[in-house]
């Protein structure tokens, strides 16, 4: 075989770690179904084949749903309910059978034709819910076709060797059929940190890079690959030298990971005794296991909108109460900060009739939506307040842009409290209420907002996109999305200073809190709480435990005088290498 040249592709880090192995290109081609005529007497056999394929597909989906619900929680399993609904759609299925009888063409040919017409109709509709269902229909349609034409089994489920999956995108169903044992990494052309693929990758703890744009064009099945999920890098056909280098760093990473886990029960405390809170972010109640396993001090961000996803109805107050109280109970005596519904932006929830917007991230989002829909907001607040006697709960509002919004939200909360008092329903009268600071206007008026808040949590994912005018989910401009940008650092510094001047604590729950390059600076700026994805907890703790607060302050002070994001990043990295040389080994890869 001709020796292929080493190539490096850059993408976005979705889940950290290094994977090395053969590429497995997930076939995105549609099946080619020939137009085959049938005779009248073959009709019953065709109908039987169709029914058998439907049954086999239903069984497959039910199995996946069960497995995913057990492994990753019912919320993730719920995704497959939509797939089952497609199979149970009798109109679609009857149309296939009646056309097959009339046109006397093979059932798979007719099925594919009917399916593509449905997809076309759905894609032209104005209904967002139906549009979202296109990928479900595609997914399920492929499964049914595979079962109809026989032999062709699910490519991913059948993977026998350890492989790195390369795909344009991965549907939840694709991700679910992956065998954790055999799929050791994955890479996708599209997607961002907030895509479902990235969330799944983190939960599965599989190194992953997304938003590579050209991965499916440049990578051939069977070629050797390195996926550096920590740095968002993919190396095709690595040379023996590169392989050796990455193998060494992979081993070091594993060893380092074990070593870091020894810190699990130690506090996040500087050498001279400054303690900070190190908590974790969760999407669904099932993520609590990982929070505990990584030794986080409770939950700094519970993204409740996931409870509203992949369904047509709105979760009832009781259903929400059960979820919130279960999470509160399982992390006690630590606390959970429940973030109220952050609908909108890239988190579109189809059950609410939100009109299509030109700029969804600047639109009818989060607290703006909740204030306009007090029925939905109150149900959530009631559920949270009722759960507040089951553990230690704090509440925070997303996307606060000014004082009026904060006051209005608090006024609605007061109404909720009052009605609970009247009903003699107990709740925590001293519950802490915080504002997320993720809009530049909120950062700039944080002195004013601090007077109405018990704490702040800086949402850097949004703060950075709004401050730098860089869409956080657009892989094409990801190079401009710089947490180390001096503009971002100044905003963060002023939020912390204003919070402290008003006597409240200031945390951070955006991805910047889990960015090891930023830890020393954030610590030096006086951040009180870091809330990160559970897998980053140990590394952040390791850094915090290696400096004095004076050292960190000096680093922050110098960093903030620098002129560009690149300069800040280089400086921060240099300091990190001086202070935590183990990190250097990891970063050099
Ligand atoms: C943020 O914006 O930083 C944040 C934590 O919230 P989300 O990522 O859910 O918008
Ligand atoms: Mg946000």
């Amino acid at each position: 075989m001709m020796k292929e040249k080493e190539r490096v592709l850059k993408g976005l880090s979705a889940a950290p770690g290094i994977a090395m192995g053969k590429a497995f290109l997930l076939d995105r081609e549609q099946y080619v179904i020939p137009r085959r005529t049938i005779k009248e007497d073959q009709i019953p056999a065709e109908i039987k084949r169709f029914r058998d394929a439907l049954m086999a597909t239903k069984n497959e989906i039910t199995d996946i749903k069960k497995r995913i619900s057990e492994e990753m929680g019912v919320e993730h399993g719920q995704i497959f309910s939509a797939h089952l609904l497609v199979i149970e759609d009798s109109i679609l299925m009857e149309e296939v059978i009646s056309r097959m009888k009339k046109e006397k063409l093979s059932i798979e040919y007719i099925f594919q034709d009917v399916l593509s017409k449905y997809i076309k109709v759905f894609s032209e509709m104005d209904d967002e819910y139906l549009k979202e269902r296109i990928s479900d229909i595609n997914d399920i349609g492929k499964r049914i076709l595979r079962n109809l034409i026989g032999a062709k089994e699910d490519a991913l489920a059948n993977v026998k060797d350890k492989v790195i999956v390369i795909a344009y995108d991965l549907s939840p169903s694709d991700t679910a059929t992956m065998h954790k044992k055999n799929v050791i990494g994955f890479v996708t052309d599209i997607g961002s940190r907030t895509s479902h693929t990235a969330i799944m990758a983190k939960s599965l703890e599989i190194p992953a890079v997304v938003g590579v744009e050209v991965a499916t064009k440049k990578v051939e099945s069977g070629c050797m690959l390195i996926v550096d999920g920590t740095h968002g890098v993919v190396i095709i056909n690595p040379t023996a030298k590169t392989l050796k280098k990455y193998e060494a760093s992979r081993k070091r990473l594993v060893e380092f990971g074990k070593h870091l886990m020894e810190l699990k029960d130690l506090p996040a405390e500087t050498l001279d005794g400054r303690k900070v809170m190190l908590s974790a972010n969760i999407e669904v109640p099932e993520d609590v296991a990982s929070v505990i396993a990584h030794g986080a001090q409770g939950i700094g961000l519970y993204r409740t909108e996931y409870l509203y996803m992949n369904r047509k109805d709105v979760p009832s107050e009781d259903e929400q109460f059960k979820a919130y109280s279960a999470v509160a109970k399982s992390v006690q005596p630590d606390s959970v900060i429940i973030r109220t519904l952050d609908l909108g932006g890239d988190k579109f929830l189809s059950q609410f009739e939100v009109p299509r917007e030109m700029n969804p991230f600047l639109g009818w989002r989060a607290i703006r939506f909740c204030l306009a829909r007090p029925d939905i907001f109150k149900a959530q607040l009631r559920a949270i307040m009722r759960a507040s006697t089951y553990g230690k709960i704090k509440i925070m509002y997303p996307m606060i842009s000014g004082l009026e919004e904060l006051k209005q939200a608090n006024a609605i909360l007061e109404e909720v409290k009052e009605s609970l008092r009247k009903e003699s329903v107990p709740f925590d009268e001293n519950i802490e209420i915080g504002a997320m600071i993720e809009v530049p206007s909120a950062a700039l008026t944080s002195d004013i907002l601090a007077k109405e808040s018990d704490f702040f949590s800086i949402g850097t994912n949004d703060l950075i996109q709004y401050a730098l005018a860089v869409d956080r989910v657009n892989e094409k401009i990801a190079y401009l999305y710089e947490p180390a940008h001096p503009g971002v650092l100044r905003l963060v510094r002023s939020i912390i200073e204003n919070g402290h001047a008003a006597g409240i604590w200031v945390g951070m729950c955006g991805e910047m809190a889990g960015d090891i390059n930023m830890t020393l600076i954030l610590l030096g700026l006086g951040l009180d709480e870091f809330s990160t994805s559970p897998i980053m907890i140990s590394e952040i703790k390791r850094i915090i435990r290696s400096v004095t607060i004076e050292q960190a302050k000096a680093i922050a002070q110098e960093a903030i005088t620098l002129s560009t994001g690149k300069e800040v990043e280089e400086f921060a990295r240099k300091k990190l290498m001086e202070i935590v040389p183990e990190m250097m080994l990891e970063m050099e890869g």
Side-chain angles (χ1 to χ4, degrees):
M1 205 169 102
M2 212 174 74
K3 196 100 191 79
E4 297 282 352
K5 246 181 98 205
E6 177 177 296
R7 292 195 65 160
V8 178
L9 302 180
K10 291 232 162 76
L12 307 168
S13 153
I18 293 172
M20 304 164 82
K22 291 250 167 72
F24 180 89
L25 197 62
L26 197 62
D27 189 6
R28 297 280 89 181
E29 297 301 313
Q30 298 293 328
Y31 295 122
V32 181
I33 311 283
R35 193 183 144 94
R36 179 170 60 85
T37 51
I38 54 163
K39 296 204 182 83
E40 182 77 34
D41 63 354
Q42 286 178 306
I43 289 176
E46 289 293 281
I47 296 177
K48 181 171 183 313
R49 259 186 350 105
F50 188 44
R51 295 210 191 287
D52 288 350
L54 290 178
M55 189 48 77
T57 310
K58 194 171 172 180
N59 290 342
E60 270 174 34
I61 300 288
T62 313
D63 280 353
I64 295 175
K65 188 178 167 198
K66 187 165 162 275
R67 182 158 62 78
I68 289 303
S69 301
E70 281 164 10
E71 283 177 11
M72 300 182 63
V74 277
E75 311 283 332
H76 289 293
Q78 185 79 12
I79 294 160
F80 299 95
S81 302
H83 290 203
L84 287 173
L85 283 181
V86 178
I87 303 183
E88 281 153 13
D89 184 342
S90 55
I91 301 179
L92 185 142
M93 302 312 167
E94 270 157 26
E95 187 182 337
V96 174
I97 293 177
S98 79
R99 269 193 53 192
M100 183 268 297
K101 282 182 183 162
K102 213 160 82 208
E103 296 172 35
K104 306 227 171 39
L105 289 166
S106 77
I107 196 88
E108 51 266 37
Y109 184 83
I110 299 284
F111 176 70
Q112 198 190 36
D113 196 51
V114 171
L115 201 70
S116 56
K117 285 193 179 124
Y118 262 68
I119 290 172
K120 188 163 179 293
V121 171
F122 275 36
S123 58
E124 284 161 3
M125 276 182 178
D126 248 359
D127 184 327
E128 283 304 324
Y129 179 78
L130 294 179
K131 274 204 179 129
E132 270 183 39
R133 299 280 74 83
I134 292 176
S135 67
D136 293 331
I137 298 177
N138 248 325
D139 211 78
I140 199 77
K142 272 195 150 182
R143 279 181 187 279
I144 296 172
L145 273 177
R146 204 185 53 238
N147 282 317
L148 261 178
I149 50 189
K152 295 233 170 84
E153 291 200 18
D154 191 323
L156 271 179
N158 245 10
V159 166
K160 293 279 183 303
D161 307 316
K162 294 201 183 311
V163 292
I164 293 167
V165 172
I166 309 293
Y168 176 72
D169 190 14
L170 286 168
S171 70
S173 158
D174 287 330
T175 326
T177 47
M178 279 184 186
H179 255 282
K180 226 170 147 178
K181 273 203 328 276
N182 293 335
V183 177
I184 54 170
F186 63 80
V187 179
T188 61
D189 285 348
I190 65 164
S192 66
R193 188 195 68 75
T194 44
S195 64
H196 205 95
T197 314
I199 293 164
M200 285 273 206
K202 274 200 182 126
S203 308
L204 292 166
E205 301 190 17
I206 294 177
V209 178
V210 297
V212 179
E213 295 187 44
V214 292
T216 52
K217 290 199 186 78
K218 304 283 179 203
V219 178
E220 277 178 31
S221 246
C223 77
M224 187 63 195
L225 273 191
I226 298 174
V227 175
D228 178 352
T230 311
H231 302 100
V233 172
V234 180
I235 302 171
I236 311 171
N237 297 314
T239 60
K241 197 171 149 215
T242 311
L243 272 173
K244 210 169 145 203
K245 188 177 120 189
Y246 270 89
E247 182 49 35
S249 49
R250 198 187 60 80
K251 278 198 183 130
R252 272 200 304 266
L253 263 179
V254 172
E255 280 312 306
F256 188 57
K258 282 189 202 150
H259 172 62
L260 284 178
M261 282 310 276
E262 290 165 12
L263 305 176
K264 185 174 162 272
D265 299 317
L266 297 175
E269 182 178 10
T270 61
L271 291 171
D272 50 350
R274 164 71 64 90
K275 279 201 176 90
V276 292
M277 282 287 291
L278 194 43
S279 44
N281 297 349
I282 65 164
E283 273 76 43
V284 291
E286 288 73 15
D287 293 341
V288 170
S290 169
V291 173
I292 294 167
H294 287 90
Q297 290 168 276
I299 294 159
L301 166 64
Y302 175 7
R303 289 184 164 98
T304 54
E305 51 282 357
Y306 281 83
L307 198 63
Y308 295 67
M309 278 184 186
N310 289 306
R311 56 195 289 169
K312 237 187 154 159
D313 58 341
V314 178
S316 66
E317 181 188 317
D318 266 346
E319 185 184 340
Q320 295 188 63
F321 160 74
K322 281 193 191 115
Y324 305 152
S325 54
V327 170
K329 258 193 225 166
S330 53
V331 295
Q332 344 190 39
D334 292 322
S335 57
V336 48
I337 304 181
I338 301 184
R339 196 252 310 265
T340 57
L341 183 59
D342 184 6
L343 155 129
D346 59 338
K347 282 175 287 198
F348 184 81
L349 309 182
S350 40
Q351 62 272 52
F352 302 115
E353 279 161 19
V354 178
R356 229 175 155 59
E357 297 179 315
M358 286 284 281
N359 294 301
F361 273 114
L362 303 180
W364 201 35
R365 238 196 108 177
I367 197 69
R368 303 165 183 187
F369 171 83
C370 285
L371 293 176
R373 290 292 306 267
D375 52 330
I376 291 164
F377 194 33
K378 277 186 182 167
Q380 183 174 42
L381 291 174
R382 273 182 67 93
I384 300 174
M385 294 312 285
R386 282 173 53 201
S388 67
T389 55
Y390 288 76
K392 187 107 197 71
I393 290 182
K394 297 172 188 169
I395 298 179
M396 69 182 174
Y397 308 124
M399 284 285 293
I400 292 289
S401 62
L403 184 65
E404 289 97 337
E405 275 171 343
L406 182 55
K407 282 192 164 169
Q408 282 171 42
N410 277 336
I412 294 178
L413 181 64
E414 279 313 313
E415 281 178 39
V416 165
K417 285 184 183 174
E418 199 42 46
S419 71
L420 290 172
R421 280 187 203 107
K422 281 203 188 110
E423 295 163 37
S424 304
V425 177
F427 62 87
D428 177 4
E429 288 278 358
N430 299 315
I431 193 160
E432 281 185 43
I433 310 296
M436 275 191 81
I437 305 294
E438 48 184 347
V439 178
S441 60
L444 295 166
T445 55
S446 47
D447 53 332
I448 301 168
L449 297 174
K451 296 191 182 107
E452 299 287 326
S453 315
D454 295 315
F455 66 92
F456 283 156
S457 186
I458 309 175
T460 51
N461 304 339
D462 280 312
L463 185 63
I464 296 170
Q465 76 160 344
Y466 297 135
L468 303 183
V470 178
D471 182 346
R472 69 189 255 192
V473 296
N474 185 340
E475 61 267 17
K476 291 212 168 47
I477 46 168
Y479 70 99
L480 288 172
Y481 191 93
E482 290 184 298
H485 192 289
V488 175
L489 293 193
R490 287 169 197 216
L491 286 174
V492 170
R493 175 178 63 180
S494 123
I495 301 165
I496 298 173
E497 282 176 0
N498 285 333
H500 288 176
I504 64 170
W505 63 267
V506 182
M508 180 179 282
C509 59
E511 292 298 292
M512 189 170 167
D515 179 345
I516 56 171
N517 291 325
M518 292 295 119
T519 315
L520 293 169
I521 297 175
L522 295 174
L523 185 65
L525 290 176
L527 194 71
D528 302 295
E529 181 232 29
F530 294 65
S531 190
T532 82
S533 78
I535 39 179
M536 294 313 297
I537 295 285
S538 315
E539 288 180 51
I540 303 295
K541 194 188 283 184
R542 177 76 184 83
I543 301 171
I544 293 170
R545 291 180 60 84
S546 306
V547 276
T548 63
I549 193 68
E550 292 314 318
Q551 261 177 306
K553 273 187 192 161
I555 291 168
Q557 263 163 27
E558 192 170 342
I560 216 146
T561 62
L562 300 172
S563 314
T564 68
K566 296 272 166 307
E567 283 176 29
V568 174
E569 213 181 306
E570 266 164 37
F571 169 75
R573 209 169 278 184
K574 193 172 121 248
K575 290 291 165 194
L576 193 60
M577 287 174 189
E578 277 168 29
I579 288 165
V580 210
E582 303 93 291
M583 290 285 172
M584 188 175 152
L585 297 173
E586 183 194 340
M587 290 172 77
E588 279 191 338

